């Protein structure tokens, strides 16, 4: 009778002895880890054998032996609990690896079979399981398969009034619920309803129990099946009532975690459509709005405010866009192309394409167990887009078109056969003085007639878009009344000037350019000084200008900015507008384009994000929903009414206008007295790409704070969240506005507020500094005046666009030193550099970079002269003139992204791409492929200036494909030019460059020119629309000065490339470039940025708007769980630091 007792005492003494030994080793576990693991294993073995021995004698023991067994079990479990508590979780890991979890589950099942089960044993077992569960990846699956899950659930049901036992059971249940299959199973077993029985109104008792119960409930409600069950059970109003009660009574904010748990349950329920509907019906918007506004003064309650904001934003009713169709307000008839169709958007008859039915589709929804590691492995990796076909990674040997078809392009390369024995025919370029309003040519660029659009049998003539007459172009209202001379600036300052002589300006142009450009040195890293920094004349920055308080509708006198800007002439600009063809047939000129832009004399920092600005705007929207008394919903501007887009009113509303070149604003709705919802126009023949905007505002009240909401933006994240600002141009004073983005379902809303400071002002808002097609034509005309006898400049018209606008092609190099054969041979054999820009109309910064390159190339500095003597430049400065003219963001008139048409461009639909590619193919046929090809772009989601290139090696490194050493034979010359730029251009970031080839980019200019033309240095140069986060310009907005400087620095980099590599000996080029950027081993270890990565993380927590399914069988079964964290999720308003 005493043997069990003696055995148990002996076992206890051995356990205590080994436990004491572990305690002594606790400070030196690193050196004696193996000994510690052996001791732990012995303790586990002893516990298991003692339990089996005692169970075998239980049948012959009486009540006394049962009591002894329970006491021994409690003692062992207490010892094990203390053992696992020490060691910062490492001992728990050893316990799990030795199968300890399974032993605990077996013990739990054995104890549960007793009648009645021991409460103390159940308490200790669940306490141990709560500690072990988060460390065991298979915990949830093992609990379900062994039946321990049901034991715990039944124990909870039987002990709802026993807080002591209920707490550890709920802690274990919380871990079980992290597995989605367990959550569904428990939902069917009534556990969701069980949790609501445990919840109670405000109380000071058992708060720990309530917290754990809410954690478990939140985990259960991640299952959409359980969320629907909670909605059907009517628990949404109960949760709202509980939250309001705890908010009202928890005046000292001691139970914030309980309030947070209630909000998390509501957040998970509102992930489904039924939950959002139930939330609205229970007046949840008002409850959370009122409680959140009361929490605002207490900073420590921000987690509650942010979660409430997320729920309200998610449940905010989705309104129909106030449009008859999301298709563009303008249309352009496209030519019929046999065998293929244009990419334009066509709407099916009777279909309302504005209504968002994403909540009403029949897609089966599946569980999103984002905390499950196995699920994360199954998620598609961003590297899935990387090209893995080695055949496609290696450039082709030759172009596809036969030489006979390409010979027509020989006339664009007359410099390659020019003998210079007879003086070249001068190029006649119109000027403001030479052009007559009655006899103005279509363009001042045309020397050779344009190419025919194609050799195909399909003939097509663009619609007769007649050039505008000068008399029909209006610069502003009441122009003849203007008296004051003020030059507005786009960058927060205004200059008042005195009259200057035009002859003085003309005489000083070349001196200024030479002086400025001589400051550029290959030995300095400070960069090129912009060409137009010297404004000359009186400069009164910050003056507001004269105001006429007595005259109704007083406006400013248009100044003669040609006296200030060397490359801008307002009169010439108007003449160029006459030859620009647009689909809407614009008859007005915007002030900023007419006046011209001057870069500011100061640096503008990135906008610092104000804490809580986003949620403040969200609360304003919620207030508008709850209190709709001041809602006006009055349309004040509508392009869908072509006869009268500007709707007359009583003078209480702002006046809008976008009917000028590059303008984009489709509709303006006055929703409240000082708030306007704005709708952008999609690209012509398209139903998307709502990003570029450029519009005029007038009729404002001084000092009033107006709010503008652009309600149909398409990108979920933007640099507007990280310091970028909306550009505002004031005729009296240019200022900036506070802006941010808040997230929605179908579209995103860009909101910015502005205080107008001047009476009778005319202001323009734009996505970025506008650069119109007419501005380009004017600049090219003015550049002709800079030509000296030493500069070879030729302007051709490559082709005409779909809309009838000419696409200019420039050739720039240096004239040969003489007519001798040697000099002419050197002239003809210069390597070619091919540059292009503005294939995407909304990326206006690309044109400013191109402007900097062109001005540098045409300057009289020694560096520019040396560069011209080194290369022949072929430049297409605007690949998509139609898109630029008509205010598109990305597409041409065909409704397609032209930078995705390079593989197989259609001569009728994509003429500029078709003929540009043929130029390059012709060069490849005559063995004169460009040394460098670079396409200038703008980037809306990254900072700095950087390059994308093409590399077989780096593409293979980023993928999992296997390749032989012969497949990876590649010189590293493609890195030389970006490396040089990173050394001399302060805005350039080598760390942001990427040389990976993606499948989604295989039709872009960069990849096609690399693959088909064989240009190893084929690049896309991306310039930020925001600012820089490194180098000299760190923390500053990027302006036209910095963009033009970047264009000049690109040319300087080409010159350094030539000087360092000795272009006269091409055989040594790659070896010398290797010296620039280091050894092969160093380059091989250098990381590359993946092209699709963004600088910033996602700005807001994602909202799942997917439809609900009643098919529970589609719930995804997952086999692993992870630790349930009690971290308080916060919206990005509380995130002050973003890793780029």
């Amino acid at each position: 009778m005493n043997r069990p007792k003696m055995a148990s005492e002996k076992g206890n003494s051995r356990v205590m002895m080994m436990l004491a030994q572990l305690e002594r080793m606790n400070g030196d576990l690193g050196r004696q880890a193996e000994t510690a693991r052996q001791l732990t294993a012995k303790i586990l073995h002893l516990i298991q054998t003692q339990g089996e021995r005692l169970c075998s004698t239980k049948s012959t023991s009486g009540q006394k032996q049962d009591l002894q067994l329970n006491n021994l079990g409690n003692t062992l479990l207490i010892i094990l609990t203390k053992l696992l508590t020490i060691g910062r979780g490492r001992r728990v890991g050893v316990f799990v690896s030795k199968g300890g979890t399974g032993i605990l589950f077996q013990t739990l099942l054995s104890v549960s079979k007793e009648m009645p089960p021991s409460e103390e044993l159940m308490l200790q077992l669940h306490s141990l399981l709560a500690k072990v569960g988060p460390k065991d990846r298979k915990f949830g699956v093992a609990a379900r398969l062994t039946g321990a899950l049901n034991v715990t659930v039944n124990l909870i049901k039987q002990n709802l009034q026993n807080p002591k036992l209920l707490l550890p059971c709920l802690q274990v249940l919380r871990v079980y619920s992290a597995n989605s299959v367990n959550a569904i199973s428990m939902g069917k077993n009534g556990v969701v309803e069980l949790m609501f029985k445990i919840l109670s109104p405000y109380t000071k008792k058992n708060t720990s129990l309530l917290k754990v119960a809410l954690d478990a409930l939140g985990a259960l409600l991640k299952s959409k099946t359980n969320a629907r069950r909670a909605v059907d059970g009517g628990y949404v109003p109960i949760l709202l009532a509980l939250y309001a009660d705890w908010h009202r009574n928890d005046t000292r904010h001691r139970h914030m975690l309980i309030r947070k748990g209630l909000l998390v349950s509501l957040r998970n329920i509102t992930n489904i459509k039924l939950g959002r509907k139930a939330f609205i019906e229970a007046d949840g918007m008002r409850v959370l709005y009122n409680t959140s506004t009361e929490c605002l003064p207490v900073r420590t309650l921000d987690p509650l405010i942010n979660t409430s904001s997320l729920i309200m934003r998610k449940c905010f009713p989705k309104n129909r866009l106030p449009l008859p169709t999301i298709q563009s307000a303008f249309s352009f008839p496209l030519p019929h192309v046999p065998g293929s169709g244009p990419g334009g958007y066509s709407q099916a008859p009777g279909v309302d394409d504005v209504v968002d039915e994403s909540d009403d589709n029949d897609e089966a929804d599946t569980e999103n167990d984002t905390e499950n590691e196995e699920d994360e492995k199954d998620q598609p990796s961003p590297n899935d887009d990387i090209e893995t076909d080695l055949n496609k990674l290696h450039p082709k040997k030759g172009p596809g078109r036969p030489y006979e078809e390409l010979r027509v392009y020989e006339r664009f390369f007359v410099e390659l056969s020019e003998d210079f024995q007879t003086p070249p025919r001068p190029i006649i370029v119109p000027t403001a003085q030479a052009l007559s309003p009655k006899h103005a040519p279509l363009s001042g660029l045309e020397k050779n007639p344009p190419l025919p659009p194609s050799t195909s049998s399909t003939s097509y003539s663009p619609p007769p878009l007649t050039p505008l007459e000068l008399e029909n172009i209006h610069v502003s209202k009441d122009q003849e009344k203007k008296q004051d001379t003020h030059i507005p600036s786009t960058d927060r300052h205004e200059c008042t000037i005195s009259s200057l002589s035009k002859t003085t300006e003309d005489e000083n142009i070349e001196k200024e350019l030479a002086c400025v450009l001589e400051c550029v040195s290959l030995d300095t890293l400070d960069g090129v000084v912009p060409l137009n920094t010297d404004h000359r004349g009186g400069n009164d920055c910050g003056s507001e200008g004269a105001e006429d308080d007595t005259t109704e509708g007083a406006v400013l006198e248009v100044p003669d900015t040609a006296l200030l800007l060397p490359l801008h002439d307002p009169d010439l600009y108007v003449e160029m507008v006459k030859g620009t063809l647009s689909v809407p047939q614009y008859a007005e000129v915007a002030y900023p384009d007419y006046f011209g832009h001057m870069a500011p004399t100061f640096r503008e920092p990135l906008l610092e994000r104000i804490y809580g600005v986003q949620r403040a705007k969200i609360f304003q929207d919620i207030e508008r929903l709850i209190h709709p008394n001041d809602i006006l919903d009055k349309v004040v501007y509508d392009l869908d009414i072509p006869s009268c887009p500007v709707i007359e009113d009583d003078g209480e509303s702002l006046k809008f206008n976008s009917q000028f070149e590059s303008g984009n604003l489709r509709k303006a709705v006055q929703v409240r007295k000082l708030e306007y919802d704005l709708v952008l126009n999609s690209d012509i023949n398209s139903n998307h790409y709502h990003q570029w905007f450029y519009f005029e505002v007038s009729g404002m009240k001084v000092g009033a704070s107006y709010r503008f909401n652009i309600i149909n933006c398409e990108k979920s994240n933007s640099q507007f969240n990280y310091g970028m600002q909306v550009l505002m141009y004031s005729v009296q004073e240019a200022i900036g506005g506070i802006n941010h983005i808040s997230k929605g379902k179908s579209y995103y809303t860009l909101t910015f507020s502005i205080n107008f400071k001047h009476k009778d002002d005319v202001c323009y808002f734009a996505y970025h500094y506008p650069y119109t097609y007419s501005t380009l034509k004017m600049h090219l005309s003015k550049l002709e005046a800079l030509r000296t006898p030493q500069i070879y400049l030729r302007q051709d018209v490559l082709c005409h666009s779909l809309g009838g606008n000419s696409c200019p092609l420039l050739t720039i190099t240096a004239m040969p030193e003489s007519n001798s054969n040697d000099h002419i041979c050197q002239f003809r054999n210069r390597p070619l550099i091919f540059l292009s820009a503005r294939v995407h109309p909304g990326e206006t910064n690309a044109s400013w970079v191109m402007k900097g390159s062109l001005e540098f190339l045409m300057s009289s500095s020694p560096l520019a002269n040396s560069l011209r003597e080194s290369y022949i430049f072929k430049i297409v400065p605007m690949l998509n003139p139609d898109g630029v003219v008509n205010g598109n963001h990305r597409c041409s008139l065909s409704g397609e992204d032209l930078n995705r048409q390079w593989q197989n461009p259609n001569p009728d639909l994509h003429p500029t791409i078709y003929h540009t590619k043929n130029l390059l193919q012709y060069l490849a046929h005559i063995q004169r492929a460009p040394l460098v090809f670079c396409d200038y772009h703008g980037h809306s989601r990254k900072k700095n200036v950087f390059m994308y290139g093409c590399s077989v090696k780096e593409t293979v490194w980023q993928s999992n494909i296997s390749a032989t050493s012969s497949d990876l034979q590649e010189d590293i010359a493609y890195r030389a030019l970006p490396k040089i730029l990173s050394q001399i251009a302060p805005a350039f970031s080598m760390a942001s460059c990427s040389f990976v080839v993606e499948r989604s980019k295989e039709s872009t200019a960069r990849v096609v020119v690399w693959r088909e033309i064989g240009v190893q240095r084929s690049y896309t140069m991306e310039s930020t629309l925001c600012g820089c986060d490194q180098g000299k310009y760190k923390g500053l907005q990027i302006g036209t000065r910095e963009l033009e400087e970047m264009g000049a620095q690109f040319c300087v980099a080409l010159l350094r490339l030539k000087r360092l590599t000795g272009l006269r000996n091409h055989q040594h080029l790659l070896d010398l470039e290797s010296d620039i950027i280091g050894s092969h081993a160093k380059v091989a270890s250098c990381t590359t940025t993946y092209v699709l990565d963004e600088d910033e993380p996602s700005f807001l927590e994602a909202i799942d708007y997917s439809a609900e399914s009643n098919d529970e069988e589609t719930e995804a079964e997952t086999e692993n769980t992870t630790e349930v964290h009690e971290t308080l999720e916060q919206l990005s308003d509380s995130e002050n630091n973003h890793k780029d």
Side-chain angles (χ1 to χ4, degrees), residues 299-313:
R299 186 69 175 265
T300 56
L301 298 181
D302 279 356
L304 302 181
I305 300 171
N306 291 332
T307 306
S308 298
S309 301
L310 173 65
I311 297 171
M312 291 187 287
R313 183 171 57 91

Side-chain angles (χ1 to χ4, degrees), residues 121-162:
L121 282 175
M122 285 294 186
L123 177 64
Q124 294 299 330
L125 280 170
H126 281 88
S127 297
L128 267 175
L129 288 170
K131 291 181 180 296
V132 172
K135 299 296 184 181
D136 189 348
R137 296 179 58 195
K138 299 292 185 180
F139 187 82
V141 177
R144 184 173 69 253
L145 296 179
T146 59
L149 176 64
N150 293 330
V151 172
T152 303
V153 171
N154 292 330
L155 194 63
I156 293 174
K157 292 180 179 179
Q158 297 167 6
N159 293 273
L160 289 177
Q161 305 303 322
N162 186 354

Side-chain angles (χ1 to χ4, degrees), residues 487-540:
I487 305 295
S489 164
T490 338
D491 291 90
R492 301 192 179 201
H493 79 289
E494 172 184 295
C495 301
T496 305
I497 65 168
S498 58
S499 62
L500 296 175
S501 169
K502 277 194 176 182
T503 57
T504 303
E505 182 265 340
D506 292 334
E507 292 171 357
N508 288 335
I509 286 178
E510 289 198 25
K511 293 180 181 179
E512 177 189 5
L513 292 173
C515 177
V516 171
L517 289 167
E518 283 171 359
C519 299
V520 184
S521 173
L522 293 174
D523 299 326
T524 64
L525 301 178
D526 293 335
V528 180
V529 180
L531 302 180
N532 56 350
T533 54
D534 184 7
H535 294 166
R536 293 192 301 247
N539 191 341
D540 183 14

Side-chain angles (χ1 to χ4, degrees), residues 715-754:
K715 289 190 176 181
S716 60
N717 202 12
S718 166
Q719 285 296 317
F720 281 120
N721 287 325
Y722 309 102
M724 182 176 169
Q725 294 178 262
V726 173
L727 180 70
M728 176 177 166
Y729 183 106
S730 169
V731 174
Q732 299 191 22
E733 181 184 7
I735 59 176
I738 299 174
N739 57 81
H740 73 278
I741 286 183
S742 53
K743 195 174 180 183
K745 166 58 180 85
S746 301
Y747 297 100
Y748 302 90
T749 298
L750 167 66
T751 297
F752 57 96
S753 302
I754 190 69

Side-chain angles (χ1 to χ4, degrees), residues 169-185:
C169 291
L170 288 174
Q171 290 173 337
V172 176
L173 188 73
R174 177 176 60 184
V175 185
Y176 291 161
S177 303
N179 182 280
S180 61
V181 179
N182 288 349
I184 297 167
S185 175

Side-chain angles (χ1 to χ4, degrees), residues 4 37 69 114 125 164 240-241 255 438 443 448 460 569 650 822 838 874 905 911 934-935 949 955 1050 1102-1103 1121 1140:
R37 280 194 289 270
L69 176 62
E114 299 179 3
L125 280 170
K164 182 180 178 181
L240 287 169
H255 305 295
K438 297 182 180 179
S443 170
N448 295 324
Y460 168 71
D569 186 333
D650 53 3
D822 289 343
R838 207 65 185 282
K874 288 290 184 179
C934 190
D935 190 19
T955 304
F1050 181 83
I1103 297 177
T1121 62
D1140 292 352

Side-chain angles (χ1 to χ4, degrees), residues 10-82:
K10 183 179 180 181
N12 287 346
S13 63
R14 291 182 61 188
V15 169
M16 295 302 295
M17 181 180 64
M18 287 186 285
L19 184 59
Q21 188 176 353
L22 280 175
E23 289 288 353
R24 290 193 297 272
M25 295 169 52
N26 190 40
D28 195 22
L29 285 178
R31 298 180 181 178
Q32 306 184 45
E34 185 60 33
T35 304
R37 280 194 289 270
Q38 292 176 358
L39 286 174
T40 305
K42 289 181 180 180
I43 292 174
L44 292 175
H45 177 71
L46 181 62
I47 293 173
Q48 186 176 10
T49 54
Q50 288 293 325
E52 293 174 352
R53 186 179 303 165
L54 289 172
C55 290
S56 64
T57 61
K58 181 183 175 184
S59 58
T60 60
S61 302
Q63 186 176 2
K64 186 175 181 179
Q65 283 75 18
D66 293 339
L67 181 60
Q68 290 175 348
L69 176 62
N70 290 338
N71 291 336
L72 177 61
N74 286 336
T75 302
L76 293 176
L77 291 174
I78 291 172
I79 292 172
L80 189 57
T81 301
K82 290 183 178 180

